[in-house]
Amino acid sequence: MRLSNYFLKTYKEYPSDEDIISQKLLVKAGYIKKHAQGIYEYLPLGFRSMEKIKTIIREEMDKIGFCEMQMPTLLMQEVYDKRIKFFGKEMFKIKDRTDKDLCLGPTHEEPFILLVKDALNSYKQLPIGLYQINNKYRDEIRPRFGLMRAKEFVMKDAYSYDKDETGLDVTYKKVKQAYNNIFNRVGLDFVPVISDNGVMGGSASEEFMAKSSVGEADILDCGCGYAVNLEKVECSFEKANTKPKFDKKKLVKTPNSKTVEQLVNFLNKNEAEFLKAIVYKADDKFVLALVRGDREVNETKLTNYLKCANLELASVDDFVKINSVAGFVGAFDLKNCLTIADNEVHNMVDFVIGANKTDTHYINANLSDLKIDKFMDLRNAVEGDKCPLCGKPMTMKKGIEVGHIFKNDTHYSESLGCTFLDENGKMKPVHTGCYGIGVGRTLSAIIEQNFDEKGIVLPENIAPYKYAILPVNIKDEKQMELAEKIYAKCDQNDALFDDRKDTFGFRMKDLELIGIPNIIVVGKNAEQGMVELYKRKTDEKSLIKIEDLNF
Ligand code: ATP
Ligand code: MG
């Protein structure tokens, strides 16, 4: 490609409306353009890198026998009837001109299983593996981090159908291997972690996490091979035999002290002496979650227990409806509210808790004062908690979830009636698995791990072009002649010929910013048939004969 004809606009400054470095660089380097919050245009450079990732994904999925196809993204809403509640506001719902309810596909388990259901009669047709690379639409509550959490994004989604648990296990392991290959080939530093299956059930799931400080996922790892998403880490609990010192709770004034932090200062106590009380709205019901003051509520555990579609913090107005006041909630005398406490609360004595009145708390409260409907494992694990496998203390890391593999077992086949006749002529539900990769999120994660002060540093197989040919002076006939000769010889489909009329410095800066891995500088040694090969990643520069260029 000749850059003089190319559609490329780079920027001197970082955009002000992107929040992380990978997205700032993608916009600055002219890979993508923001269309609206959570919606992006893929410009020629970004489009090419996305295509290169897709090619690697295709090669690995084809290798394990999955067939590529394409579902519509505009779908009948009724296809999702059985779990439409769980998508809640995340699903883009639309009507056509005849008032038919349509939607933009957020994920495609249902259309795929309905397709297979129609075609499937006998065990002889199994296993089946299908995949597509297609746009997905989710009205994310907080679209951010550019392509990482967008409203429209590209996903590779795959679905498998097996005759039994053993078959699903074999397929799941093959996909896991394919995912390891894919993420290794795109050059990511990643770790697979055990993750939560969510309210949709199924027996196993793992997420592929790119290691990164901007990751939204917390991973606990002890190095024994058991890395787990914080959402999923079970917290062990042993009942202690601590006895209360006080037999009566005492009302104290706590003006303007609503958070544990403010109370710690005001009452001069430890965080662990407070009972943290958080009110949620779970669909249309109120739930009070109680954890020790130095702990956090694990909302995944709470959501799974409640089997709700939407879990959100109650609004200030909601507190009146449960007979309490925001910031001063106590687990007594509440109305219309289920109270769930973390197991550790069993061991708390003489603690501080809200009194359901403004600027008021109780001190020296005890469990006998409270009305608790259920105790369960409700808290987030913390660094130092013991690994459930080896017992060593775990450390916390941040990760970007780039892929997710699930065993759904017979969840979808039973709810949508996808059955087959087995070897004995018996009707059985098919065992399914589903497997996703966020293509844009993967590109973002690669950049998040590979950049420097000059710009993007992509690996050769993901960079939009492997080579750039850069004549120092485009008015110099000798240089241009040699540059043309190199361009004619190389794979023009993977090379940019920088024949723009701008200064050398400007053009070099651009090529460094967009992260071309090999820059062939044609300068003063052109007459001797020599060029400088500049490796962007290692900053190595070497003078070589053009015959020695390896394309
Ligand atoms: P998250 O917990 O980050 O919301 P998810 O569990 O909703 O992810 P899946 O439904 O498993 O994600 O989707 C499969 C893959 O699609 C994810 O692993 C991720 O790489 C990608 N993905 C999901 N949501 C988005 C999004 N809003 N923007 C970009 N990629 C996404
Ligand atoms: Mg999500």
Side-chain angles (χ1 to χ4, degrees):
M1 272 287 173
R2 288 176 191 272
L3 261 170
S4 56
N5 295 331
Y6 204 71
F7 185 74
L8 171 67
K9 164 90 182 117
T10 55
Y11 296 85
K12 261 196 157 151
E13 307 295 335
Y14 285 122
S16 57
D17 55 352
E18 293 295 343
D19 33 22
I20 52 173
I21 189 67
S22 55
Q23 309 308 309
K24 287 178 195 280
L25 281 168
L26 281 167
V27 173
K28 187 171 191 253
Y31 277 58
I32 60 171
K33 184 170 188 290
K34 189 181 224 165
H35 181 89
Q37 187 68 16
I39 308 175
Y40 286 85
E41 297 161 14
Y42 299 89
L43 309 182
L45 291 179
F47 181 75
R48 278 183 66 93
S49 281
M50 293 282 284
E51 287 303 306
K52 288 191 171 183
I53 297 174
K54 289 183 202 170
T55 302
I56 292 173
I57 294 176
R58 286 192 171 106
E59 286 171 5
E60 295 296 334
M61 293 308 292
D62 292 351
K63 217 188 312 179
I64 57 165
F66 277 60
C67 306
E68 185 171 4
M69 56 166 285
Q70 191 143 9
M71 277 287 171
T73 46
L74 182 62
L75 291 142
M76 301 284 287
Q77 230 181 81
E78 64 188 37
V79 165
Y80 295 96
D81 260 359
K82 290 265 163 55
R83 62 165 171 162
I84 206 145
K85 176 179 154 214
F86 291 99
F87 289 116
K89 289 184 180 162
E90 214 170 277
M91 181 185 261
F92 280 102
K93 300 177 178 123
I94 31 182
K95 283 193 187 285
D96 75 0
R97 64 173 74 207
T98 66
D99 242 15
K100 200 169 274 160
D101 288 316
L102 302 175
C103 67
L104 298 176
T107 174
H108 280 80
E109 282 79 2
E110 284 85 348
F112 271 93
I113 199 167
L114 292 173
L115 169 78
V116 170
K117 174 181 171 174
D118 243 15
L120 183 64
N121 305 309
S122 152
Y123 72 95
K124 290 179 204 145
Q125 293 164 277
L126 298 172
I128 296 170
L130 300 171
Y131 78 98
Q132 63 174 346
I133 301 180
N134 211 344
N135 278 353
K136 294 281 179 279
Y137 297 85
R138 296 183 185 177
D139 199 354
E140 294 278 351
I141 190 163
R142 275 185 296 277
R144 59 192 163 153
F145 299 164
L147 301 185
M148 290 223 201
R149 186 166 297 285
K151 292 187 181 185
E152 179 189 76
F153 60 97
V154 181
M155 196 202 284
K156 184 287 298 173
D157 45 326
Y159 305 91
S160 70
Y161 307 89
D162 275 277
K163 67 184 165 79
D164 53 22
E165 214 180 310
T166 320
L168 171 57
D169 197 48
V170 172
T171 304
Y172 183 85
K173 285 192 176 122
K174 277 190 195 162
V175 180
K176 187 172 172 181
Q177 186 55 53
Y179 271 45
N180 275 308
N181 297 348
I182 291 166
F183 292 122
N184 275 323
R185 285 180 65 187
V186 301
L188 267 184
D189 183 12
F190 70 97
V191 55
V193 307
I194 299 168
S195 69
D196 184 68
N197 268 53
V199 282
M200 302 318 295
S203 58
S205 88
E206 277 156 281
E207 287 159 329
F208 287 76
M209 296 284 190
K211 294 178 196 162
S212 166
S213 58
V214 301
E216 293 182 277
D218 294 298
I219 306 161
L220 280 153
D221 194 0
C222 70
C224 81
Y226 183 77
V228 197
N229 191 319
L230 177 67
E231 292 174 348
K232 170 89 175 173
V233 184
E234 289 163 29
C235 301
S236 56
F237 158 73
E238 277 170 39
K239 220 167 179 175
N241 206 11
T242 27
K243 298 258 179 318
K245 283 199 207 108
F246 299 91
D247 55 10
K248 217 164 175 253
K249 62 184 188 304
K250 185 176 163 201
L251 206 61
V252 289
K253 279 282 171 200
T254 50
N256 301 321
S257 301
K258 292 184 176 180
T259 63
V260 170
E261 203 184 352
Q262 288 163 338
L263 284 164
V264 161
N265 292 329
F266 187 78
L267 295 172
N268 195 21
K269 286 182 181 278
N270 295 325
E271 280 190 332
E273 293 175 88
F274 294 84
L275 188 56
K276 197 189 269 180
I278 309 222
V279 183
Y280 289 96
K281 202 166 171 189
D283 297 336
D284 49 3
K285 296 197 175 69
F286 293 110
V287 179
L288 173 67
L290 299 174
V291 289
R292 215 171 71 183
D294 56 340
R295 305 299 197 198
E296 298 297 332
V297 175
N298 183 315
E299 294 181 355
T300 305
K301 291 177 185 173
L302 187 59
T303 305
N304 288 349
Y305 171 71
L306 297 169
K307 293 195 167 47
C308 60
N310 268 313
L311 185 77
E312 52 188 276
L313 291 174
S315 67
V316 174
D317 296 340
D318 289 333
F319 285 80
V320 182
K321 298 179 194 155
I322 63 161
N323 200 28
S324 190
V325 182
F328 303 94
V329 182
F332 23 70
D333 306 331
L334 295 178
K335 280 193 312 196
N336 314 316
C337 187
L338 182 76
T339 301
I340 304 179
D342 178 55
N343 288 329
E344 256 184 1
V345 175
H346 272 304
N347 289 347
M348 291 183 69
V349 290
D350 306 325
F351 47 80
V352 182
I353 185 164
N356 295 322
K357 276 188 223 132
T358 307
D359 293 344
T360 324
H361 279 83
Y362 282 111
I363 58 168
N364 306 336
N366 279 290
L367 278 188
S368 53
D369 296 316
L370 309 183
K371 187 189 159 289
I372 293 174
D373 300 299
K374 178 166 177 72
F375 281 91
M376 60 178 275
D377 172 18
L378 188 61
R379 73 169 173 101
N380 272 341
V382 289
E383 194 157 76
D385 274 358
K386 295 201 175 81
C387 165
L389 278 196
C390 72
K392 274 200 261 156
M394 297 187 285
T395 51
M396 189 94 86
K397 292 178 186 147
K398 289 273 180 200
I400 300 167
E401 180 204 314
V402 284
H404 200 168
I405 57 176
F406 276 96
K407 280 185 187 175
N408 309 125
D409 304 339
T410 55
H411 175 85
Y412 289 103
S413 52
E414 280 181 28
S415 83
L416 294 165
C418 182
T419 54
F420 65 98
L421 290 176
D422 74 1
E423 291 90 330
N424 307 313
K426 254 181 90 182
M427 193 91 103
K428 281 209 171 139
V430 73
H431 275 67
T432 71
C434 64
Y435 318 92
I437 291 181
V439 181
R441 201 183 274 190
T442 299
L443 175 62
S444 305
I446 301 170
I447 296 174
E448 207 57 52
Q449 292 180 352
N450 295 280
F451 68 91
D452 62 15
E453 67 292 345
K454 293 177 188 161
I456 293 172
V457 189
L458 282 175
E460 283 196 0
N461 58 348
I462 305 302
Y465 293 88
K466 235 181 188 168
Y467 302 96
I469 301 156
L470 176 61
V472 174
N473 179 359
I474 61 161
K475 289 189 188 129
D476 182 310
E477 274 179 26
K478 283 271 167 339
Q479 290 184 18
M480 282 308 271
E481 202 181 299
L482 190 66
E484 287 286 359
K485 200 167 155 192
I486 299 168
Y487 187 51
K489 189 179 149 194
C490 74
D491 175 5
Q492 293 190 0
N493 198 29
D494 223 358
L496 279 177
F497 183 13
D498 198 346
D499 56 349
R500 291 177 294 176
K501 292 199 176 71
D502 303 286
T503 64
F504 171 72
F506 175 90
R507 289 178 294 142
M508 176 58 109
K509 265 204 172 131
D510 250 11
L511 296 175
E512 287 179 325
L513 171 64
I514 65 184
I516 303 298
N518 302 289
I519 303 175
I520 301 163
V521 182
V522 187
K524 57 180 188 297
N525 297 305
E527 267 181 71
Q528 290 83 48
M530 306 275 281
V531 292
E532 188 183 74
L533 178 64
Y534 165 36
K535 297 256 176 201
R536 172 78 178 84
K537 193 179 169 103
T538 54
D539 220 19
E540 277 171 277
K541 287 172 186 156
S542 48
L543 208 56
I544 54 173
K545 285 203 198 114
I546 66 157
E547 297 79 47
D548 296 335
L549 282 170
N550 284 324
F551 291 116

